[in-house]
Amino acid sequence: MKTILKVIVLCFVVVFSLTSCSKSKSSSAKKIILSENWKVQQSSKVLADGASISSEINNAENWYAATVPSTIMGVLTANGLYEDIFIGENYKKIDKTPFDDSWWYKTTFDLPNLPSEKNILLQFEGLNYYANIWLNGQLIASRDKIFGTFKVYEFDITALAKEKGNILAVETFRAQPGDFNTGFVDWNPRPVDENMGIWRPVTIEINGKVGLKNTAVQSQVNTTTLEEAWLTVKTELKNYASESVSGKLIGKIGEAEFSFPVNLNANETKEITLTSKEIASLYLKNPKLWWCNNLGEPNLHQLSLRFETGNNITDSEEITFGIREIETYFTEEGHKGFMLNGKKILIKGAGWTDDIFLRDTKQSLETQLQYVKHLNLNTLRFESIWGTSQDVYDLCDQYGILAMVGWSCQWEWNEYLGKECDEFGGIQSETDINLAVESLSDQIHWLRNHPSIFVWFLGSDKLPKPELEIKYKDLIAKIDNRPYLLTAGTRTSEVSGPVGVKMNGPYEYVSPNYWFEDKVNGGAFGFNTETSPGANIPKLESIKKMVPQAPLWPINDAWNYHCTHSAVAFRDLNVNTLNLENRYGKATNLEDYLMKSDVLGYEAMSGMFEGFRARIPKSTGIIQWMLNSAWPSFYWQLYDYYLLPTSSYYATKKANAINQLIYDYATKEIIAVNESLNSEKNLKAQIAVYDFNSKLLKKETVNFDIETITSKSVFNLGDFKENVFLDLKLFDEKGTQIATNFYWLSSKKDIFDWEKTFWGNTPLKEYADFTKLNELPTSEITAIYSEKTVENNVELSVQLENTNSKTGFFIYLNLLNEKGETIIPVFWDDNYISILPNEKRIIKCSIPIDLMAAGKTKLVISGWNVKEQTHLLNNK
């Protein structure tokens, strides 16, 4: 897919205004984002250096148009170069030598209406990896000092800056082997340019005598009553003047305004910490708390902060924050868990990745965070501090998605870092340690106002060296108040003891009973920080974008190249095919392979999430590896690179419904789960068992109560001597159906070869037999639909009815545009469903109205044993 980098920000934008200030006061504060009007070119094609580059500044023929943030490959693909590189094996044919050269970024900007008393700062929030920086012909920083993907750099340019015609030129150099770059480990090929470029925003800040920096709001909540909270406001004040300054720090949160006197000596920097002891209004009664998805509203608040001296506002900031309390605990078995506002929560999430060339847009990020919320997940793990801006973290705040943020195992293995790593990874020398600590400090300061971020990851596969851990620990204690994890794996630090989480796999297919039966590795106990049942095959329309049209089938090297790029495993679809054939029968053609892969993936993903939910409170967290893909892929994704959901997407959504009934593959019990903040009374479970001929074998109704955030057994299904369908329906005390679940179960069990377990997976030695599904007779399904417009969306309601005596199995609903392409994003409340004889189901979805074309949008209904039907929607 050709992605065009769009940054919806004007080149010169004042980020905040001082609307709360008296009109009689003048303001020196201004913030300008330099995002547009950039140009990029390879150094060997530019006959100039930073001092003389102004002579070529208007020579557009030799330069590529660019925006910032961007990487060089992001710029080049946006300019039409490197088309079709994601098809087949084309990517590995790219010539990498141009990126051995340095590349220039250049722009011009004006600074009109500068105040008489001013200080002008130039800030780079992210450069990758080395850079020389020139302003108006002067070298202001060189690559021997400017290096490190996660460092933030700030320069006082007051003496160099002009009101008109400023020329900023940045020569960037790619990371070298051994450099601590951002990276994709084995998930996909390495970016050919190593993501070199100005990958995060560039800003100009103008203030008066005194500037504000590193403003943060921290909260403490009475977790017993949730009826009071205490805020702490921190900021740094810097006096740029050569004489002392007296003034007031003035803040406003909601309707409450406060003032605090401050005296600064000449050129002094002072950290101010304000609590409810100094400012009474920082104590809150009945605060609106920030909750994660499905627990409550993610309420956000604003702090307006400014410094006034005399009749002038020298600087100001606007901070968005949330009021919430994060705590950790250990289970009796020694597994770490997390509490939000005093409530133990099951972490249910997936691993995030940015686009391979860091080309995510506001729109693509918005869609993906909407997906996460729709999936009933509550967490994202950012292995690597992803994001070319804070947009993705802003969206996590907005949608109530907890964020685990930290370093990647890219830095811990020889083959990915490019230098020798030991038991502590690659951060070894004093220079390395200092860079890591400085980088972490910059990132925490950059991100710490996001309530969604609940833990910092200081390592991934390995522990940091003890001396590095001590420095990390001291740093965090000084500047932040949330917990950290030293590693994602089961390790014990000589400094701080057991970490309390695990990362023991699997990453490849395991049948759903694995999660319920395994007691040693990745099974449903404790906190599994990354794991997956393997491949997630996209829909055919996506495969056609990544595999050459001929041959699409059978599976070939073009398919395998789009699996992972691990050195040791997951490099093809052999495991997926092996399990598919043994459990569902050999595929007869491509369409049959894709249908069976959908069923295989749905069943596997359901089992993983359901296993951890059924084992609450012994399970404390589960992170699916992964959520998305950096490039077109067949592995580790709930929706594909083109943002088209896989069958595993809807398996995840259903498995994580707030209230749900779950079949326990190990004990054969029906487990009820309640993850709401309220205890539930007088619920009713309806349990029905059918053979594959749709004959009813058993039907039971169970009434029960269940406490908040827990699971309990409500029924034991017992053994069955033949393959069956299991239909579960959950009703609230008013008799309203609030959840459904559906299983196909084999009388022949999946049996694991536990002795052959390795970190990738545990293979099966005997397989469940679902081949009789291939003999299901055709089921007749009718569809009646209705549409209505609600604000900017079309709300579609589809009533499906099974009009005969045979179960309609694995029915898929899809919306196509006039080109025959799936409309995205579309949010079905359920999909890949099965409908019992004479049953009706109403399935709803919401579609952005601008994606609908009147009389041209098609609703397509298909399934395992259902004849495909197409309906033309009115879209009125």
Side-chain angles (χ1 to χ4, degrees):
M1 180 182 71
K2 181 180 175 183
T3 302
I4 306 298
L5 180 64
K6 295 180 180 177
V7 180
I8 311 174
V9 183
L10 294 175
C11 180
F12 304 111
V13 178
V14 178
V15 174
F16 52 82
S17 62
L18 303 174
T19 56
S20 62
C21 304
S22 168
K23 292 183 179 180
S24 63
K25 296 184 183 298
S26 62
S27 174
S28 302
K30 185 182 294 185
K31 185 174 181 179
I32 298 168
I33 300 175
L34 303 181
S35 63
E36 305 292 334
N37 194 38
W38 288 85
K39 294 182 175 64
V40 163
Q41 185 52 278
Q42 186 178 349
S43 289
S44 60
K45 297 181 180 180
V46 177
L47 302 178
D49 60 16
S52 57
I53 206 167
S54 59
S55 63
E56 297 199 13
I57 202 73
N58 295 314
N59 187 353
E61 293 181 4
N62 294 332
W63 292 76
Y64 298 104
T67 56
V68 166
S70 61
T71 66
I72 297 302
M73 276 298 289
V75 171
L76 298 180
T77 54
N79 278 271
L81 282 72
Y82 299 104
E83 293 185 351
D84 300 329
I85 54 173
F86 289 162
I87 295 178
E89 301 177 74
N90 289 350
Y91 186 84
K92 65 183 180 183
K93 302 173 186 177
I94 297 175
D95 180 11
K96 298 180 182 179
T97 57
F99 310 107
D100 294 334
D101 201 356
S102 61
W103 285 70
W104 284 98
Y105 282 78
K106 64 179 182 178
T107 190
T108 59
F109 61 93
D110 297 334
L111 297 174
N113 304 317
L114 289 171
S116 56
E117 291 185 340
K118 62 184 177 295
N119 193 73
I120 307 173
L121 302 174
L122 170 65
Q123 185 180 84
F124 291 85
E125 295 182 17
L127 290 158
N128 197 0
Y129 188 82
Y130 303 87
N132 293 318
I133 303 171
W134 300 72
L135 180 64
N136 295 333
Q138 297 293 315
L139 181 67
I140 62 173
S142 58
R143 63 170 293 175
D144 60 327
K145 301 291 184 183
I146 306 301
F147 60 89
T149 303
F150 296 100
K151 289 293 301 296
V152 175
Y153 294 99
E154 186 173 86
F155 308 98
D156 188 333
I157 60 169
T158 308
L160 283 177
K162 305 178 293 184
E163 289 204 359
K164 290 190 176 182
N166 293 282
I167 301 173
L168 177 62
V170 183
E171 185 182 13
T172 59
F173 305 79
R174 72 169 175 83
Q176 300 298 311
D179 288 337
F180 300 101
N181 189 15
T182 190
F184 300 87
V185 200
D186 58 358
W187 318 335
N188 45 264
R190 298 179 77 106
V192 290
D193 63 344
E194 295 293 336
N195 287 147
M196 68 186 296
I198 306 177
W199 77 291
R200 280 183 174 162
V202 179
T203 58
I204 302 287
E205 292 190 11
I206 303 169
N207 51 48
K209 291 181 179 180
V210 177
L212 294 170
K213 186 178 180 181
N214 292 328
T215 300
V217 182
Q218 297 174 348
S219 59
Q220 181 182 353
V221 175
N222 182 331
T223 56
T224 301
T225 68
L226 304 182
E227 294 176 354
E228 54 185 350
W230 298 262
L231 302 183
T232 298
V233 176
K234 294 184 176 183
T235 193
E236 292 178 22
L237 292 172
K238 181 174 178 59
N239 181 10
Y240 293 98
S242 57
E243 67 276 352
S244 62
V245 174
S246 296
K248 295 180 293 184
L249 187 64
I250 299 174
K252 185 177 182 181
I253 298 175
E255 297 301 316
E257 191 169 44
F258 60 85
S259 177
F260 187 78
V262 178
N263 296 313
L264 295 166
N265 296 325
N267 303 119
E268 181 184 9
T269 298
K270 180 181 290 187
E271 183 176 287
I272 305 296
T273 300
L274 301 177
T275 70
S276 58
K277 294 179 181 179
E278 293 83 20
I279 306 296
S281 59
L282 296 180
Y283 168 73
L284 305 177
K285 291 289 289 182
N286 300 313
K288 291 185 176 181
L289 302 179
W290 187 92
W291 292 98
C292 67
N293 187 31
N294 285 342
L295 276 190
E297 292 299 316
N299 293 296
L300 296 173
H301 306 269
Q302 295 291 127
L303 165 68
S304 299
L305 194 66
R306 65 186 188 270
F307 186 79
E308 293 185 6
T309 178
N311 204 36
N312 182 249
I313 299 166
T314 67
D315 203 1
S316 63
E317 286 193 310
E318 293 281 334
I319 303 295
T320 300
F321 67 96
I323 302 171
R324 56 97 178 102
E325 181 96 358
I326 300 292
E327 300 170 278
T328 61
Y329 69 95
F330 282 88
T331 67
E332 293 180 358
E333 298 82 10
H335 303 299
K336 179 167 284 186
F338 288 86
M339 293 189 290
L340 174 62
N341 300 327
K343 308 298 182 181
K344 292 181 180 179
I345 57 173
L346 177 66
I347 298 298
K348 301 176 300 183
W352 174 275
T353 178
D354 281 5
D355 172 80
I356 188 172
F357 303 136
L358 307 189
R359 298 174 299 181
D360 292 298
T361 65
K362 284 182 178 290
Q363 182 177 352
S364 71
L365 293 175
E366 179 83 34
T367 296
Q368 293 182 80
L369 266 295
Q370 288 175 341
Y371 279 171
V372 177
K373 181 177 176 66
H374 186 243
L375 280 160
N376 289 317
L377 298 178
N378 61 20
T379 303
L380 285 176
R381 181 182 169 197
F382 295 85
E383 184 184 336
S384 189
I385 303 178
W386 290 114
T388 58
S389 68
Q390 297 195 37
D391 288 346
V392 70
Y393 303 103
D394 289 339
L395 289 166
C396 285
D397 296 342
Q398 175 185 336
Y399 286 111
I401 306 302
L402 293 161
M404 311 172 75
V405 179
W407 301 140
S408 168
C409 70
Q410 176 90 5
W411 299 358
E412 297 172 344
W413 299 100
N414 303 8
E415 59 267 39
Y416 305 119
L417 179 59
K419 74 172 185 178
E420 192 66 29
C421 296
D422 63 12
E423 61 181 313
F424 299 110
I427 305 175
Q428 298 177 8
S429 68
E430 183 178 357
T431 299
D432 293 344
I433 288 173
N434 289 338
L435 176 61
V437 174
E438 290 168 6
S439 297
L440 181 65
S441 176
D442 285 351
Q443 295 308 295
I444 292 178
H445 280 105
W446 190 61
L447 293 171
R448 64 179 175 171
N449 283 305
H450 293 282
S452 56
I453 298 176
F454 73 104
V455 67
W456 304 111
F457 258 110
L458 306 184
S460 182
D461 295 8
K462 301 179 181 181
L463 289 168
K465 291 171 73 74
E467 55 265 46
L468 176 57
E469 178 186 343
I470 291 170
K471 290 190 175 185
Y472 279 155
K473 182 179 179 181
D474 291 344
L475 168 69
I476 293 173
K478 291 178 182 177
I479 63 176
D480 199 43
N481 67 337
R482 74 199 83 197
Y484 61 84
L485 283 172
L486 290 173
T487 176
T490 308
R491 296 181 182 273
T492 299
S493 162
E494 65 181 59
V495 176
S496 55
V499 177
V501 299
K502 66 178 184 177
M503 192 183 66
N504 302 329
Y507 295 88
E508 188 61 278
Y509 180 84
V510 289
S511 56
N513 57 314
Y514 171 90
W515 310 99
F516 296 85
E517 295 178 6
D518 175 70
K519 310 297 182 188
V520 178
N521 293 299
F525 60 92
F527 188 174
N528 196 333
T529 58
E530 57 175 68
T531 191
S532 177
N536 293 112
I537 311 299
K539 306 304 290 184
L540 179 59
E541 67 181 271
S542 292
I543 294 173
K544 288 179 177 179
K545 296 177 182 177
M546 48 198 280
V547 176
Q549 292 295 308
L552 264 181
W553 179 259
I555 293 172
N556 50 56
D557 287 344
W559 287 62
N560 293 335
Y561 188 68
H562 288 267
C563 293
T564 82
H565 281 247
S566 167
V568 295
F570 328 122
R571 296 177 62 88
D572 53 48
L573 292 173
N574 291 348
V575 172
N576 186 79
T577 302
L578 172 69
N579 285 277
L580 180 152
E581 291 180 348
N582 278 284
R583 303 177 91 244
Y584 292 95
K586 188 171 183 178
T588 57
N589 52 43
L590 174 58
E591 289 72 20
D592 190 38
Y593 184 85
L594 296 180
M595 173 66 78
K596 289 175 177 174
S597 292
D598 281 346
V599 175
L600 187 79
Y602 188 104
E603 181 195 27
M605 193 63 69
S606 291
M608 184 184 75
F609 279 109
E610 289 180 350
F612 277 81
R613 299 192 72 210
R615 292 293 188 261
I616 297 171
K618 290 187 177 181
S619 58
T620 58
I622 171 69
I623 299 294
Q624 147 66 13
W625 204 252
M626 301 175 68
L627 174 78
N628 57 351
S629 293
W631 87 313
S633 175
F634 289 102
Y635 256 84
W636 301 336
Q637 57 194 355
L638 297 180
Y639 51 87
D640 67 27
Y641 179 73
Y642 307 103
L643 304 185
L644 185 59
T646 66
S647 67
S648 293
Y649 178 104
Y650 285 96
T652 299
K653 175 178 172 56
K654 175 161 286 190
N656 288 302
I658 302 174
N659 298 106
Q660 186 56 285
L661 297 173
I662 292 170
Y663 174 70
D664 189 317
Y665 285 85
T667 67
K668 301 181 175 63
E669 293 172 289
I670 305 301
I671 307 295
V673 179
N674 174 25
E675 283 195 86
S676 74
L677 289 178
N678 302 311
S679 297
E680 299 288 350
K681 303 292 184 182
N682 301 317
L683 297 183
K684 182 173 72 174
Q686 181 178 291
I687 302 154
V689 181
Y690 296 78
D691 66 17
F692 275 14
N693 289 316
S694 299
K695 178 184 176 182
L696 179 64
L697 302 178
K698 179 185 293 188
K699 191 168 186 177
E700 300 285 348
T701 298
V702 180
N703 294 298
F704 64 95
D705 301 333
I706 186 169
E707 297 300 314
T708 176
I709 311 182
T710 192
S711 65
K712 66 180 290 186
S713 173
V714 298
F715 187 76
N716 194 304
L717 192 63
D719 294 325
F720 39 90
K721 297 180 180 180
E722 58 183 315
N723 290 4
V724 297
F725 292 131
L726 171 62
D727 183 66
L728 303 176
K729 292 182 171 65
L730 181 62
F731 300 85
D732 65 16
E733 62 181 346
K734 296 179 181 179
T736 302
Q737 183 175 299
I738 57 175
T740 66
N741 216 342
F742 188 89
Y743 297 85
W744 46 105
L745 303 174
S746 172
S747 58
K748 184 178 182 226
K749 306 305 179 186
D750 289 300
I751 299 177
F752 289 97
D753 194 343
W754 296 107
E755 293 182 356
K756 293 185 179 179
T757 297
F758 79 112
W759 61 271
N761 81 329
T762 300
L764 289 165
K765 59 182 179 181
E766 294 186 29
Y767 298 85
D769 184 0
F770 291 113
T771 55
K772 286 192 177 298
L773 286 171
N774 297 311
E775 302 172 11
L776 287 182
T778 300
S779 178
E780 298 294 332
I781 302 295
T782 63
I784 302 173
Y785 65 89
S786 62
E787 308 165 62
K788 64 179 180 179
T789 301
V790 180
E791 296 181 346
N792 295 320
N793 293 309
V794 173
E795 303 293 336
L796 177 67
S797 179
V798 182
Q799 178 182 284
L800 300 175
E801 182 177 1
N802 187 342
T803 59
N804 68 2
S805 61
K806 303 302 179 184
T807 298
F809 180 63
F810 214 65
I811 299 169
Y812 174 56
L813 293 84
N814 197 22
L815 289 173
L816 303 179
N817 62 22
E818 63 271 27
K819 297 179 181 179
E821 302 167 331
T822 297
I823 296 174
I824 51 175
V826 169
F827 301 93
W828 294 97
D829 59 13
D830 201 358
N831 216 332
Y832 299 95
I833 62 173
S834 295
I835 306 181
L836 295 168
N838 304 310
E839 182 182 21
K840 293 180 181 179
R841 288 283 306 277
I842 295 177
I843 308 298
K844 298 180 179 180
C845 77
S846 177
I847 315 105
I849 196 169
D850 59 348
L851 299 180
M852 302 284 280
K856 297 182 180 180
T857 302
K858 295 177 181 179
L859 167 64
V860 180
I861 301 169
S862 58
W864 182 281
N865 64 329
V866 174
K867 184 179 179 181
E868 183 176 298
Q869 53 185 284
T870 300
H871 302 268
L872 195 63
L873 302 187
N874 295 321
N875 312 136
K876 291 182 179 179

